[in-house]
Amino acid sequence: MSGERERWAGHKAGVLAELCSQTIARRVSLSTRAAEEIVASTPHYRQHGPTVADLVATVWEFMVGWLTATESGGPAGPGELAAARRHGARRAAQGIAVEDVITGFYVGYRTLWRDMADRAAEQGVSEILLEASEASLGWMLEITTAISAGHHDAVAGRRVLTAAARQRLVNLASVPGATGDAEELRLAAEQAGLDPGAGLQCWWAPIGAATGEVQARIQAGLGLLPGAFAVGQVTTALLVLGHGADEEAVAAVLGEADLTSVAVGLRRTGPYAARESLTDARAAAALAAGRAGLWRFAVLWPLVITASAGERLEPLLAPAVTIAREYPHLAEAVGAFADRGLSVSAAARRLNVHPNTLSYRLERWQDLTGTDVRTVSGLTISRTAVEIAAGSPAPNS
């Protein structure tokens, strides 16, 4: 009885060895057919994937190991598993999703198995090949698991590198007044996934300490918007540098992370665009003083200039600042008038008072301060004084 088992085992081994040998002899045509079926069955491969020659080489690279496992029933070896991890990493670098990589792998080896099954049927040894299928599938599972691991590690590593590139861009841009590093800024922007030629804009949100998880969540949220963005952090704020989406949309993403005070700089172009827009946003954030709202440098620039002038403008502004603090209802009228297009009726509606009341308050303001809000200089002085008295400007949207 044992002799019969030995003879049967020897017969099976011989049959499998012959089937595998026949497959090796046909490796060129089979690898090409497998590659063509991978391309036909996997849309991403068909549109953006590697060349057929690349796929043929991959099929051939793993064919010997698969045939060895089919013939001997053994597991994948360390060298094969290492090659599988490298393959997964290579496909990740090509931008191919792990699902497509695994699908392509199975499609390719399905082609090889079907060819071997057809020859086994012709020779009347299908039962023997079927018994070997468990070992064949076991090898495939080990290899595809290693491919997935290699792909995952490569993607995770690339994310870390990209996050580091984004932070480097933020670090460079946050150095005020620096020059001579235009090329470094350009390369940093490109490495962070931005197009320096498209112009760059900065959003600034005060924050104590953003964890990597918070930054990753914001980066993912920005990824749903048109354009491209890089999230990073300086000591006291989380910053977004980017292009392609409107200011409110970016502020809304930050708001979802409970960052409700957001300052935004001008969209800048040129070699120092990131730094210049960040400088804008930082100045607007200083005026906002952490209050909720969207604070545009495009609107607040007169106050920024006033703040930077310091003591030089104090004699001009001091009388109006004093009145604004002593008569807050007059300051409120000035603010509403300035913010509602210099319209008395619109300002009155904003404050829920009669237009005549609003006009009286503006006249009273002029009597006390000597400034007429209906003139350019008077409006500028009055509006700036009101905001200085309030300690920070009202948010704008």
Side-chain angles (χ1 to χ4, degrees), residues 15-311:
V15 167
L16 291 174
E18 178 61 23
L19 289 172
C20 291
S21 178
Q22 293 170 5
T23 298
I24 290 291
R26 291 155 49 84
R27 63 184 179 274
V28 175
S29 61
L30 284 175
S31 296
T32 301
R33 190 199 310 170
E36 291 171 347
E37 291 199 15
I38 290 170
V39 172
S41 303
T42 312
H44 193 96
Y45 274 72
R46 186 165 59 250
Q47 297 169 9
H48 310 292
T51 63
V52 171
D54 185 338
L55 292 172
V56 168
T58 300
V59 173
W60 173 235
E61 178 184 7
F62 291 99
M63 182 185 292
V64 174
W66 172 70
L67 291 173
T68 300
T70 301
E71 181 180 347
S72 67
E80 292 173 314
L81 295 174
R85 292 183 72 95
R86 290 194 298 271
H87 175 67
R90 185 168 67 250
R91 291 296 186 243
Q94 293 171 329
I96 302 173
V98 66
E99 295 82 2
D100 287 337
V101 179
I102 300 303
T103 297
F105 205 84
Y106 274 106
V107 167
Y109 283 92
R110 181 186 64 191
T111 303
L112 302 182
W113 180 265
R114 285 177 175 174
D115 180 80
M116 187 180 287
D118 288 344
R119 285 183 287 106
E122 291 171 359
Q123 299 168 32
V125 293
S126 296
E127 182 180 351
I128 292 176
L129 181 61
L130 184 62
E131 290 181 12
S133 63
E134 183 176 350
S136 175
L137 290 174
W139 179 90
M140 286 287 291
L141 179 60
E142 288 183 281
I143 292 296
T144 52
T145 299
I147 289 173
S148 298
H151 190 287
H152 176 272
D153 290 348
V155 170
R158 189 168 59 192
R159 285 175 179 162
V160 170
L161 288 175
T162 303
R166 293 176 184 134
Q167 185 60 50
R168 172 171 167 72
L169 172 62
V170 167
N171 291 345
L172 285 171
S174 63
V175 179
T179 58
D181 59 351
E183 181 63 14
E184 193 173 6
L185 274 169
R186 183 188 67 79
L187 289 174
E190 291 179 348
Q191 290 168 357
L194 306 182
D195 177 8
L200 294 174
Q201 194 166 18
C202 179
W203 289 256
W204 176 295
I207 192 170
T211 65
E213 181 182 351
V214 171
Q215 291 192 36
R217 188 166 71 248
I218 292 172
Q219 188 72 56
L222 294 172
L224 301 177
L225 302 179
F229 302 92
V231 178
Q233 188 175 2
V234 293
T235 305
T236 58
L238 186 138
L239 273 61
V240 175
L241 285 163
H243 52 75
D246 62 48
E247 297 168 353
E248 292 87 351
V250 175
V253 172
L254 293 170
E256 291 173 359
D258 296 326
L259 301 178
T260 57
S261 180
V262 180
V264 58
L266 297 177
R267 177 182 172 276
R268 299 280 192 169
T269 58
Y272 300 103
R275 181 171 294 139
E276 290 169 354
S277 186
L278 190 153
T279 301
D280 296 341
R282 180 192 280 124
L287 291 171
R291 294 177 62 193
L294 177 59
W295 311 80
R296 291 183 173 89
F297 181 84
V299 175
L300 300 175
W301 66 266
L303 299 180
V304 171
I305 294 173
T306 301
S308 65
E311 295 181 355

Side-chain angles (χ1 to χ4, degrees), residues 314-380:
E314 184 177 355
L316 186 63
L317 296 170
V321 171
T322 299
I323 296 303
R325 287 173 175 158
E326 291 180 1
Y327 300 91
H329 66 294
L330 300 185
E332 187 180 46
V334 169
F337 180 72
D339 295 342
R340 291 299 183 273
L342 310 185
S343 168
V344 170
S345 58
R349 287 195 298 273
R350 166 69 179 81
L351 299 180
N352 196 29
V353 299
H354 193 277
N356 290 343
T357 301
L358 197 288
S359 295
Y360 170 77
R361 291 179 181 178
L362 295 179
E363 291 170 4
R364 180 62 174 157
W365 172 268
Q366 182 176 349
D367 292 341
L368 294 174
T369 64
T371 59
D372 183 357
V373 294
R374 293 175 177 84
T375 66
V376 173
S377 61
L379 180 64
T380 303

Side-chain angles (χ1 to χ4, degrees), residues 379-397:
L379 180 64
T380 303
I381 291 171
S382 299
R383 189 68 177 93
T384 303
V386 167
E387 301 306 350
I388 292 174
S392 61
N396 48 85
S397 58

